[in-house]
Structure formats: structure tokens, C-alpha cells
Amino acid sequence: MKGGHDSKKVAGRAFSAFIAMTVGGIFSYDPGYLYAAGNSAYVSSVITAGVAALLFCASLSSVKRAGTRNACELVESRFGRIARTASAVPLSIALILCAARPISVFAQVLHRLVFDGSDYYSILAFILPVTFYMAVKGHGSVARTSVCVSFVLAASLVLVILLSAKGYESFRLYPLIGDGIPHMMSCAVSDLVFIAAPLLSMTGGRGLSYERATHGCVRGDLSDDRANRLVSGIKAAGGAALLITLSRLAAGLAYDPQSLSEMLIPLYRIGFVSPRPGAMFRFDKIFIMIWLTCCMVSSAYCVDSAAELLSGSGKRFKTAVLFICCAVLALCVLPLFVSARVWDKLTFISVKYGALLLIPYSALTIAAGLSGQMKRSERA
Amino acid sequence: MFFSKRNKEASVFYSTAAAAGSLRHGFGGEANTDLILKSFVSADGRELLLACVNGMTDEARIDEFILKPLMGSFCNGLSAEQIARRYIEVSEVSFERDIEKALSSVAAGMSALFLEGGSECILVETRGFEKRAVSEAMNESVVLGPKESFTENLRTNITLVRRMIKRPRLIAEMLELAENTPAALMYVDGETDPELLDQIRARLDRIPSGVLLTNGTVEQLIEDRSLLPLPRILSTERPDRAASHILNGRAALLIDGSPFALVMPVTLFSLMNSPEDVYLRPPLGSVLRFIRYLGALISVLMPGYFLALALYHQGMLTTEVLSTVIASRKMVFEPITVEMILLLVIFQLIREAGMRVPGPIGQAIGIIGGLIMGQAAVTAHLASSVVLIIVAASGLGNFCIPDYSTQLAASYFRIAGVAAARLGGLLGLSAAGLFALCELADTESFGTPYLEPLSPYEKSRRPKLFRGKIGNTGGAGEGRS
């Protein structure tokens, strides 16, 4: 190794999780539910991110203490294969929802607001092939792509929020912090499926997608990734929470709750509330395309994470990816086969009760960690 | 005097007549008149045979340092090694027992000396053929900085690099590629990853015979596979550029007969850097680098973006711009997509024609194509002035890309962008862009990610859009990405 070369570890998966959480928090929620009793969703996002980070830390600490490679391995070693499946399958379903929901939202928005006269499925024909192609290429490709895209996502969101500042009015914020706590908590729980699932999946698979850092062409060394995973995950959760909160706060300042409950992506055209729209007036479509790109990366990450949880040792990873892709495709084209009322009901149920899908995984991982600790204490 | 290790293969040479027969047969019989077989005797009457290829050797050197001393020598009873030590006044001499290997060496320009009754031949380094002098770089010219470029001669090229890197640990590892093509793998010992060197050697070993090996063919035969047409190896004609990369831990392959060095591994950012960046002060170098990236973006995205706006998202254009576009296209009969593709193809035609004809005429073709044809096309309502400007700006941006192969690849990306924009407007462009980004991120050059150090992200070595101080890690040096 070359002298003076810092053997840095480079982790791309945390960037993917950051994108997935941000996309989940800003573009995946059900507006009718989130803004039913005011526009205080910006508060609930902080609570959600906090709970997600807590679950992630608890799961990863269990894994670290037990000395296993990931949470699935830990659960299997303590409670057997059935428990492992019982924990992995619900989280995989949650990840499938995380992959399908934003695609469906973007397809609806593009079909209604950007491409007049187009149909929903022709929009999907552009989005899904690229998403599935990325997913098939695996975590390495998705992680590397995420690194490039995450900076653009953060910059575009901050830019939109700043450019629309002229149209913000504080009187639109209702309820303020402290009022309507039950609804805020309920929103926080409903968001959990889209924000916590991508983060939790980092504990279940093969860990961070490590690249060996290069210096010229002298390569760095790799070391244990669990400590790094914790830091990267918390950074990803913190970054995502900040962006989600800012975006929701901006939306709350720009629109009243009634309008927000009917908007799928309030940030699109947020600049129009400003008395002088300026640059935003012409660049709204550019921003939505940037966010769509991030949505595709996020969905590919969720597909890969779900496939990794289901395939276990990774021998059948590609088969699992294909299976998950089919599931995402089925969810995206479901509106073709069911009525709008049924579709809305399904969306409502998945958003409201989706958080339940995270319970088996988190509970079994923490329990496995605790049982291992108790055994060690007994032995001591 | 340097003596190489003896080859322990089966000996075949006992008489010069038999050796002459084998050589003649090996060179295709009497039809091949290039083979020179000079039979002569030493002062004490021992039969000797000198074989060489006409035009490949330095005749004065053979006469002066081989024939003249040997004709006056007393060779009887001496072994090949003793003869070489006493009489051959050339520094590089080796011995060969295998006739096939001796034939290959003679074909490569060496002279083979056969002794009556000897069991091996003496191979003498007498290569000397007409070669081009070191001249100014044609494709990678700079205003400031060294002007010289590589030539077709391997030894000259090694010297050019060695003059730049005066380190004792600069290794020029001599290799023989397929078809007896000599090559040199240059690297600084201790700086370059041994794994990388092993990988390069392994790939070079796998090159099949029957291919004329030049920088272009070798590059294709050893580079990593990818769906994208971007180069995964840097071809440079500048010794300073190759030296800069070598100093940064990369390896350069010099091939005999090719006036280019192949630098491995490369990243997209190192392909976008120009030697000029380092020779200018940081603010000026930064501006140049920024303009280059901007040019590349304009080159790849502008035609597709304009088409997407014109076809699908007219609302993104102001009323003034939209009315200008409509007015300029008023009499143009073909659809805007056809017009765009037609102009892009014409641009490629002009570029290709300009490159294939000699300098002054090439420039004239560029002017005729650019000015007269463009003006005529607008007057004849074959093209609108707005689309012409878009294509011209995109073409200018393409020329900002310093690497020729990357330029060509950008042209293909541009056409793919136009097709994607035609199909789905900004949505198609985004999908195609993400596909390309994913492929780029997935591509590797000899194990190094193509987008490194942006992705995988490394804070200490993030790619610098603006040039830093010389000597800083992470962007100032030309070899640094």
C-alpha cells in the first residue's frame, strides 16, 4: 500500500437509504390522511424519523452484540428459520410498498399534470423498466448511482423551498406544535412504513455496499462494517428527516390543509403561490423529473433490499429480485383492475396500517439480541 | 556486455548450411527476398552465417561491429559465448537454441549469427529502421507546457517518459505481446497496485494472435466490458500526460509501432481533464475546466432537451422564445425530430470529412459545411435557424471534451438523448439519463469505479470542478481525477 494513503471505507448503501427515506417521506404519503386535521405533518416527520432511528439503533446494537453479520442471521440463530421468515417477509412487504407507492404517485402526477392526453400506463412504461434494470444490477450499482443522485435531490429540494419563500404565510400553519397531538402521532405512525423500512433493511441484508477506496489505483482496506453502518444509518436518517421536515413545513406555509389534502406532490408548483414565480415558473418540470429519478433509485433500492431479505444467503438473489419486481409491477398496475374507490381504500389501509409490518422484524431482532445477552449473563 | 540467460531448448544448429535451409524455409522460401543470409569465414577458416531482414537492421552496425571483427578472428574451437565475448562489439547479445525463436527474433529486426558445429546461435541487437522524429502533439496540443509527442518507436517513447520521471524506481517492464509485438509496461515501483499490474499482464497474455496490435486494438482487447461506448483506457500522445498518470499510481502501456500510451485505470473525471489545466494558474485552469464540463453537458443534453421542450413541454418556454421557434420553423417541411437528426448527421459528416482530408482542406470543409451549407439549408427551408443553432452549440460543446474517444461517445449519447426525448419528452430523457448514470456507476476500469471518487464517494478525494493548488491530493494534478 502506498505510504500516507488513508484507507477509507466508502459506503454507498447509506446514500440509497437516505434517498429512499426522503422519497418515502415527501412523495409516498396519503395526502388525504396526512392533512385531514391540519398541516402539522412537518412535526410528525421528526417523530417518525426519531422512531425509525431508534428501531435501527436497537436492531443494529443487537446484531453487534451477538456478533452476527445481520439481523436475519441473528433471529435465525436464536429462534430458528421460521422466526427468520416471519420477521423478513413482513419487512419485505413493507419494502415492496415503499417501492411501488412513489412510482404510482409520480405516474399519476405526470399523467395528470405534465403529459396532457397521456395515460397512466404509458408513463409507467418509462419508469418501471429503468427501475427494474437497476434493481437487477444489484445493490452495488444502486448504491453508486445513489451517491450521484443524492446530492442533486438535496440541492433540488432546498432550491425549491428557497425559491418559493416569497409565497409563504405563517397563518396557514394549523395546528401548531402542541395542538392536535393524537393526530400528529397517528400521522407519525402512518409515515413509519415509508421512512423506517428502508433504514431497517440496512440491518437485514449484507450490510453496507462497500467499495474499496482507491487512491490513484492503490486500494484501501476493508474492515468490520457494523460500527460504520450505525453512523451511516443515523446520518442518513438525520439528513432525510431534515429534508422531509423542511419540505412539509414549506408545503404547510404555502397551502392550507384543505388544498394539501388533495395534492399528491405539493412541492410541484409550490412556486406558483408566490406573487412573482420567477425561475420556478419555468423549471417546475425539471424539478419533478429530478425527483422522479430519485424515486426510481429509491424503488430499485427497496426492491433489492426486499430481495436480499427474502433470499437469505444471497444465492437466489436474482430470482428474488425478479419476484419482487413482479410484485411491484402488480401493485403499480392494480388501478387497471380495481375501481378508484377500492384503490383509494387500499392506499389508505397500506398507509395507515403499514407500520404494523415493521413490528415482527424489529421485535424479533431486539428480542433475539436480549435473549443472547441474557444467556451470556447466565453463563457469566 | 550484457548476456541473457541461455535457452535450454533442444539444440538444432550443427551446420550453417542446415541453419540456412531452416531459415529460408521459415521465411517462406525463395519468394521472400527480404531475408539476407550472409555466409562468410573467419580468419582461421570456420564457417559462419549471419541472418537478418533487409530494412529492419542497421547495416553499418552489422558491417562495423559484427562482420569486420569476425572476419579477422580466430574462431575455431570457440563456443558461441566465447565468440560473443571476444569479437562482437555490440552491447546487447543473447543466445538461442530454438530455431522458431531465432526466426521470430530475426523477423523482429535482430541479427542471428550461426556457427559451424555450434549448438546455438548468437542473437545480436542490430535493429535500426527508419523512424519518425519526435514531433509536436497534433491531437492534444497545449499553449503552455511541453510540445513533444510519442513516436512509433518503443525505445524513444520509453526515453520520453523517463526524461519526465527521473526516478530509479520507474520500471519499464518489457513484454512481448502476440505477433511478436514488443511493448513496455511503465509504472513506479511501490506506487502502483501490484494487483493492477497482474490484471494488466493477465489480460495482455490473453490477446489472441492474428491481430495487428496497435494502441486501438490492444485497448479494445483488454478493456473492461460495458454497454457504454466510453473509453475505459486513456490513449494519450503526450509523454507529460502519461508521466503525470504514472506518478499518480497508474500504469502506462507503450506498444512498438503506436505513437500513443495506454494509461490504466481511468475515471470519467480523468478523461475530462486536459494537460492545459495544470499548466495554467488555478483560477484560469478552473475556468477552463468548468467550461469543459459545461460544454460536455450542452453537447449531450441540449438537443434532446430542446426537442423535449418543443414537442411536449412548450409551457416551459417563454412566449418570446416559443414564437421565435415557431417563426423560424414556419416554412420547414419536415418534423422537428427529423430536422434535428438530419442536422446532427450532417454535423457528423462534416466532422468526419474534415478529419480525413489534409489540414488546410479540412479547415475549408469545416467552413463550407458550417457556414455555407447551414445558411443554404435555412434559406431552402430544410432547417430552421433555431435548430441549427442548437446543433452548432452542441457540436461546439462536444469539441470541448479533451479526449477523442469520449468526444465520439458523447455524440452517440446525444443521438440517444434525442431519441429518448422524442419518445417521452423530459420523462424519456430522465429515464435514459438514469439508465446511463447507472451504467456509468457500474462501469469499472481495471477494478477502479469509473465515477470514482464521486461514486463511490470519498470525501478526501472528491472530484474538483475547480482546480486546486498543484500538489494537493484530489484534483490539481492532471493524473488526479
Side-chain angles (χ1 to χ4, degrees):
Chain A
M1 191 187 292
K2 186 181 173 180
H5 168 229
D6 52 337
S7 54
K8 275 184 74 81
K9 295 179 292 295
V10 187
R13 191 161 169 174
F15 284 92
S16 307
F18 161 75
I19 291 179
M21 290 168 78
T22 311
V23 167
I26 302 177
F27 307 114
S28 300
Y29 59 79
D30 179 12
Y33 182 74
L34 196 69
Y35 294 107
N39 55 13
S40 59
Y42 62 95
V43 186
S44 64
S45 62
V46 178
I47 301 167
T48 312
V51 173
L54 210 68
L55 287 175
F56 172 73
C57 290
S59 303
L60 202 62
S61 315
S62 303
V63 172
K64 217 174 157 184
R65 274 200 303 271
T68 53
R69 276 192 311 164
N70 54 51
C72 294
E73 217 176 270
L74 169 65
V75 172
E76 191 172 342
S77 68
R78 295 278 182 269
F79 305 125
R81 203 170 173 77
I82 295 170
R84 182 196 186 285
T85 312
S87 70
V89 168
L91 186 61
S92 302
I93 294 170
L95 286 165
I96 292 170
L97 285 178
C98 291
R101 172 73 185 157
I103 289 178
S104 168
V105 166
F106 271 98
Q108 284 178 60
V109 170
L110 292 175
H111 148 65
R112 286 181 202 163
L113 304 174
V114 179
F115 292 94
D116 299 332
S118 69
D119 58 40
Y120 175 78
Y121 303 100
S122 62
I123 303 289
L124 281 183
F126 282 94
I127 300 174
L128 288 177
V130 180
T131 308
F132 293 161
Y133 176 76
M134 283 180 73
V136 168
K137 292 211 99 177
H139 261 311
S141 297
V142 176
R144 286 183 191 178
T145 313
S146 302
V147 178
C148 306
V149 169
S150 56
F151 296 108
V152 184
L153 171 68
S156 66
L157 286 172
V158 171
L159 203 64
V160 164
I161 292 164
L162 291 177
L163 284 174
S164 318
K166 281 178 190 167
Y168 297 157
E169 297 290 353
S170 56
F171 68 81
R172 292 194 185 111
L173 291 181
Y174 172 81
L176 294 172
I177 302 168
D179 296 333
I181 288 176
H183 180 69
M184 273 186 205
M185 296 310 290
S186 148
C187 289
V189 172
S190 77
D191 280 344
L192 210 56
V193 64
F194 297 118
I195 295 178
L199 190 62
L200 273 179
S201 72
M202 271 175 72
T203 65
R206 278 166 287 182
L208 295 169
S209 301
Y210 270 129
E211 301 295 346
R212 294 205 290 178
T214 55
H215 179 88
C217 46
V218 183
R219 288 161 173 229
D221 287 336
L222 297 181
S223 57
D224 177 42
D225 76 333
R226 280 167 298 209
N228 204 279
R229 236 192 287 185
L230 187 70
V231 177
S232 306
I234 289 171
K235 278 184 186 168
L242 183 71
L243 285 178
I244 297 167
T245 306
L246 285 176
S247 306
R248 287 186 179 182
L249 180 63
L253 288 164
Y255 297 102
D256 57 76
Q258 180 62 38
S259 312
L260 280 173
S261 66
E262 289 160 10
M263 289 181 186
L264 280 170
I265 302 179
L267 289 185
Y268 177 62
R269 306 221 162 167
I270 193 175
F272 292 173
V273 294
S274 168
R276 279 180 295 169
M280 269 298 292
F281 185 70
R282 303 284 169 201
F283 287 98
D284 54 347
K285 290 183 184 69
I286 299 284
F287 286 123
I288 203 163
M289 291 305 160
I290 290 172
W291 299 331
L292 169 69
T293 306
C294 298
C295 157
M296 290 193 257
V297 175
S298 154
S299 298
Y301 168 72
C302 292
V303 168
D304 273 346
S305 298
E308 208 174 59
L309 284 168
L310 287 182
S311 64
S313 60
K315 283 175 191 164
R316 293 181 299 275
F317 179 73
K318 293 273 179 197
T319 319
V321 167
L322 291 176
F323 172 73
I324 304 287
C325 287
C326 292
V328 172
L329 176 70
L331 279 179
C332 289
V333 299
L334 200 60
L336 183 68
F337 306 105
V338 295
S339 67
R341 219 162 61 90
V342 175
W343 173 246
D344 287 346
K345 193 78 182 163
L346 285 172
T347 308
F348 177 77
I349 291 168
S350 66
V351 168
K352 193 172 181 186
Y353 302 109
L356 295 175
L357 294 167
L358 308 178
I359 293 173
Y361 182 84
S362 315
L364 281 169
T365 308
I366 295 166
L370 288 174
S371 95
Q373 205 176 7
M374 279 163 68
K375 274 183 188 170
R376 274 195 299 276
S377 311
E378 280 168 17
R379 273 202 295 272
Chain B
M1 195 184 282
F2 168 72
F3 292 93
S4 75
K5 281 184 182 173
R6 282 161 190 248
N7 194 320
K8 297 293 178 194
E9 300 290 319
S11 75
V12 287
F13 316 115
Y14 289 102
S15 81
T16 50
S22 299
L23 285 164
R24 185 62 71 198
H25 177 74
F27 271 83
E30 295 295 330
N32 194 343
T33 52
D34 281 349
L35 178 69
I36 297 172
L37 292 172
K38 167 76 179 165
S39 185
F40 61 102
V41 286
S42 63
D44 55 354
R46 188 170 181 184
E47 278 285 331
L48 299 160
L49 175 76
L50 184 89
C52 61
V53 173
N54 195 5
M56 295 285 280
T57 49
D58 184 346
E59 285 171 19
R61 203 174 184 191
I62 293 174
D63 292 347
E64 192 67 23
F65 303 117
I66 303 174
L67 292 178
K68 209 169 158 185
L70 281 171
M71 283 176 171
S73 67
F74 295 91
C75 297
N76 266 334
L78 296 182
S79 67
E81 191 172 333
Q82 285 168 325
I83 291 172
R85 275 183 188 279
R86 290 184 192 181
Y87 301 114
I88 296 176
E89 298 170 17
V90 177
S91 59
E92 218 172 304
V93 175
S94 59
F95 304 94
E96 188 56 67
R97 285 166 184 260
D98 185 350
I99 187 74
E100 288 301 325
K101 288 180 182 170
L103 274 168
S104 299
S105 301
V106 171
M110 293 177 89
S111 295
L113 183 70
F114 297 88
L115 316 167
E116 187 64 35
S119 61
E120 57 191 353
C121 74
I122 307 169
L123 293 174
V124 190
E125 177 54 82
T126 52
R127 272 180 276 214
F129 29 78
E130 291 302 316
K131 60 186 179 190
R132 189 165 61 91
V134 175
S135 57
E136 203 170 319
M138 298 290 283
N139 303 317
E140 296 170 81
S141 56
V142 292
V143 180
L144 302 172
K147 305 286 182 198
E148 60 194 10
S149 65
F150 287 122
T151 69
E152 284 76 8
N153 187 271
L154 179 62
R155 185 47 63 187
T156 311
N157 292 347
I158 293 171
T159 312
L160 286 171
V161 176
R162 214 172 260 291
R163 264 174 46 200
M164 297 265 171
I165 308 171
K166 297 173 189 74
R167 285 198 193 179
R169 295 183 80 87
L170 173 68
I171 310 287
E173 188 180 315
M174 299 306 291
L175 304 166
E176 194 170 284
L177 308 183
E179 298 298 328
N180 298 325
T181 311
L185 185 62
M186 297 196 79
Y187 55 91
V188 178
D189 190 28
E191 292 278 331
T192 310
D193 184 9
E195 209 177 293
L196 167 74
L197 297 171
D198 289 343
Q199 212 177 344
I200 295 172
R201 287 183 203 114
R203 291 188 194 189
L204 288 171
D205 280 345
R206 284 202 296 268
I207 291 178
S209 54
V211 183
L212 180 67
L213 294 181
T214 60
N215 60 301
T217 48
V218 172
E219 186 182 337
Q220 290 170 63
L221 288 166
I222 64 170
E223 70 183 357
D224 298 72
R225 287 185 180 188
S226 171
L227 287 179
L228 301 179
L230 283 160
R232 270 85 69 197
I233 293 173
L234 171 72
S235 271
T236 179
E237 60 174 353
R238 297 184 61 85
D240 58 328
R241 199 174 187 196
S244 168
H245 283 288
I246 291 171
L247 278 176
N248 282 302
R250 295 182 170 95
L253 181 74
L254 299 166
I255 304 160
D256 193 42
S258 293
F260 287 91
L262 299 179
V263 177
M264 298 151 271
V266 288
T267 63
L268 185 65
F269 302 103
S270 60
L271 288 170
M272 287 297 291
N273 288 354
S274 153
E276 194 86 65
D277 296 354
V278 192
Y279 300 135
L280 289 169
R281 283 182 184 75
L284 300 174
S286 300
V287 170
L288 273 186
R289 195 174 281 187
F290 177 74
I291 287 172
R292 203 173 304 128
Y293 279 98
L294 189 71
L297 278 178
I298 288 174
S299 165
V300 174
L301 293 177
M302 202 172 181
Y305 180 70
F306 174 77
L307 201 66
L309 262 54
L311 289 175
Y312 293 93
H313 314 287
Q314 295 88 350
M316 287 178 72
L317 298 167
T318 58
T319 316
E320 293 82 6
V321 175
L322 197 59
S323 52
T324 308
V325 174
I326 291 167
S328 77
R329 282 195 43 79
K330 204 173 178 182
M331 296 290 284
V332 180
F333 59 86
E334 73 265 47
I336 192 164
T337 314
V338 177
E339 183 192 354
M340 181 75 82
I341 291 173
L342 188 75
L343 285 177
L344 285 172
V345 170
I346 288 173
F347 181 82
Q348 286 296 113
L349 281 176
I350 294 168
R351 179 193 171 129
E352 195 59 24
M355 280 180 69
R356 302 290 159 228
V357 292
I361 306 171
Q363 284 175 11
I365 285 177
I367 294 164
I368 292 166
L371 293 177
I372 303 175
M373 266 186 77
Q375 186 61 43
V378 172
T379 314
H381 303 300
L382 283 169
S384 62
S385 51
V386 173
V387 177
L388 195 67
I389 289 167
I390 296 287
V391 172
S394 159
L396 277 179
N398 193 261
F399 284 126
C400 289
I401 300 170
D403 182 67
Y404 177 67
S405 304
T406 316
Q407 266 183 28
L408 283 180
S411 310
Y412 299 130
F413 281 129
R414 182 167 54 188
I415 291 172
V418 167
R422 172 65 190 88
L423 287 173
L426 287 179
L427 176 63
L429 210 55
S430 303
L434 185 62
F435 175 80
L437 183 66
C438 178
E439 269 303 314
L440 271 177
D442 204 41
T443 301
E444 289 190 348
S445 166
F446 290 87
T448 298
Y450 207 55
L451 294 181
E452 190 261 347
L454 170 70
S455 174
Y457 183 64
E458 200 188 343
K459 206 174 174 183
S460 61
R461 295 200 60 242
R462 53 189 181 274
K464 288 187 175 172
L465 184 59
F466 298 105
R467 223 211 74 191
K469 283 181 185 172
I470 290 174
N472 273 5
T473 52
E478 206 273 315
R480 292 247 183 266
S481 47

